[in-house]
Amino acid sequence: SAVFALQSPDQTTFYLAPGTTIEYHWEVTDAAGNTGRTAEATYFYDDDRFEWSHLEQAGVTIYYYAGDEGDARAMLDVASESITKMSALLGGTVDFPVKVWIYDSVDDMRPALPRRSETYEDSVITAGIRITTDTVLVLGEASFDTLRHELTHVVTAASGESALGTLPAWLDEGTAVYGQEDPEGFGDAIANAIDRGNVLSLRSITSSPGDASKVNLFYGQSWHIVKYLVDTYGEEKFAALFATIKGGKRIDSALEAVYGFDQDGLEDEWRAANNLPPRTTPEPTEPPAQDELTATPGTPDVSDNSSDDGTSATTVIIIAIATLALAALIAFAGLTLARRFK
């Protein structure tokens, strides 16, 4: 027999997301140089620490091991409704199956998450995360707004990201909070910052903050700016912004093309609308437009299957998963394993 460990003591950083389908085969060579190859097989990794049940509807599957079917059904209804609503807002199409894994506790969910810095993990608790293009993890049954937030990330990626363009963090996360029914503490964070006059610069939140103390304000301000764009200029232009970024324009050029201003102009408008003074120090602008890529008709959408920008509205405590091994009986001496992940 032979065993290949996808994670081992000398390979501790390997991460396998729940819901990953592994396609694999074995190739063997004997002492005489004769080779053989098994047929392609698949293995569906479902975090086998738990006994999962599942419900499916309109391309969404809810996996759960705690609570009852009624709670899971309610989550499934919210999931379908959220994807439909946000797809209409952003003008995108989620044309692939979506998997939602519901964990019952922080300790249960922690090993299923990718790792972040120790300081960050000590400061924030993850309530939900989009870990791949088609997979989200949510903490607790009836966590409806967390579910809405994470599934909005699925829609933002489908609507605004491709091999040609990616979304800035403030637009991605702001839209995800906009997809919630209630911004909750994020709304309080930005309201307090506006009152004190210590909001963040827009260009400083094109990527997520590494400082855990700024997380709530980051989400709150991102949401407030997205809400300003939708309320002031309408849903049609907001959808056009996503399509323009997906087509290859960077955020400043995309804003100019759709709204007639770049990030500095947007920030100036937003600050004025909230009775804040203009920025005292101009932020640097992005590289010239010639650095952009331009989409050509028929260019396929090859979205990244990673999840760094899809982290949750209430993100953190992220720890690598436990060891997974695949075994097969083999009649030869040598061994080569070819594997592929989806």
Side-chain angles (χ1 to χ4, degrees):
S1 67
V3 174
F4 182 85
L6 293 179
Q7 184 170 336
S8 59
D10 60 348
Q11 184 178 300
T12 58
T13 59
F14 181 82
Y15 174 72
L16 192 65
T20 298
T21 296
I22 303 168
E23 296 182 2
Y24 68 97
H25 64 266
W26 297 90
E27 292 181 2
V28 294
T29 304
D30 64 15
N34 301 310
T35 62
R37 169 174 169 156
T38 66
E40 199 82 5
T42 61
Y43 179 84
F44 180 74
Y45 173 63
D46 62 356
D47 191 347
D48 53 12
R49 294 175 297 152
F50 308 106
E51 293 289 332
W52 297 92
S53 299
H54 68 276
L55 296 172
E56 185 177 355
Q57 173 182 299
V60 180
T61 303
I62 297 283
Y63 294 89
Y64 65 101
Y65 60 88
D68 57 36
E69 183 176 330
D71 292 333
R73 177 68 62 184
M75 292 285 275
L76 186 58
D77 290 342
V78 168
S80 298
E81 174 190 318
S82 180
I83 290 176
T84 299
K85 175 183 175 182
M86 297 311 294
S87 295
L89 173 67
L90 303 182
T93 301
V94 178
D95 55 1
F96 48 85
V98 176
K99 300 180 285 289
V100 177
W101 300 82
I102 302 175
Y103 284 84
D104 189 48
S105 70
V106 171
D107 288 342
D108 284 355
M109 186 166 165
R110 187 176 289 138
L113 299 169
R115 180 176 294 278
R116 295 193 67 170
S117 73
E118 188 173 329
T119 301
Y120 194 89
E121 291 181 359
D122 288 342
S123 304
V124 188
I125 292 177
T126 301
I129 183 172
R130 189 203 73 176
I131 49 174
T132 63
T133 301
D134 63 355
T135 303
V136 304
L137 275 55
V138 175
L139 180 61
E141 296 278 2
S143 301
F144 297 132
D145 259 354
T146 300
L147 181 60
R148 291 184 182 99
H149 182 106
E150 299 309 325
L151 290 177
T152 298
H153 279 306
V154 173
V155 182
T156 59
S159 305
E161 298 202 347
S162 69
L164 300 176
T166 57
L167 301 169
W170 66 262
L171 181 57
D172 189 18
E173 293 295 352
T175 306
V177 178
Y178 189 84
Q180 300 174 201
E181 283 197 344
D182 186 344
E184 300 171 338
F186 305 136
D188 294 335
I190 184 57
N192 291 335
I194 289 173
D195 286 343
R196 294 191 301 266
N198 61 350
V199 299
L200 305 170
S201 74
L202 186 56
R203 290 187 182 277
S204 74
I205 54 176
T206 55
S207 59
S208 300
D211 184 349
S213 68
K214 295 181 179 178
V215 167
N216 278 359
L217 177 54
F218 160 68
Y219 284 110
Q221 185 167 335
S222 298
W223 160 74
H224 209 270
I225 291 172
V226 164
K227 187 175 185 299
Y228 174 80
L229 282 173
V230 176
D231 290 351
T232 305
Y233 296 99
E235 295 182 0
E236 186 176 343
K237 282 196 171 185
F238 193 63
L241 177 62
F242 276 77
T244 303
I245 294 171
K246 184 170 185 172
K249 285 190 179 294
R250 303 184 66 167
I251 182 59
D252 278 330
S253 298
L255 284 167
E256 286 275 10
V258 176
Y259 295 102
F261 49 66
D262 61 7
Q263 288 183 102
D264 296 325
L266 170 57
E267 183 175 356
D268 288 342
E269 275 200 20
W270 176 79
R271 290 179 69 96
N274 288 280
N275 299 314
L276 293 170
R279 287 174 293 106
T280 55
T281 304
E283 296 287 341
T285 57
E286 68 178 5
Q290 61 262 31
D291 289 345
E292 295 172 8
L293 295 171
T294 302
T296 56
T299 300
D301 175 10
V302 187
S303 297
D304 185 5
N305 232 21
S306 67
S307 60
D308 54 337
D309 285 339
T311 44
S312 160
T314 43
T315 312
V316 40
I317 300 188
I318 304 177
I319 298 180
I321 66 172
T323 301
L324 173 69
L326 297 174
L329 294 175
I330 300 185
F332 302 96
L335 170 65
T336 302
L337 173 67
R339 69 190 192 278
R340 182 165 68 251
F341 301 98
K342 282 187 175 180

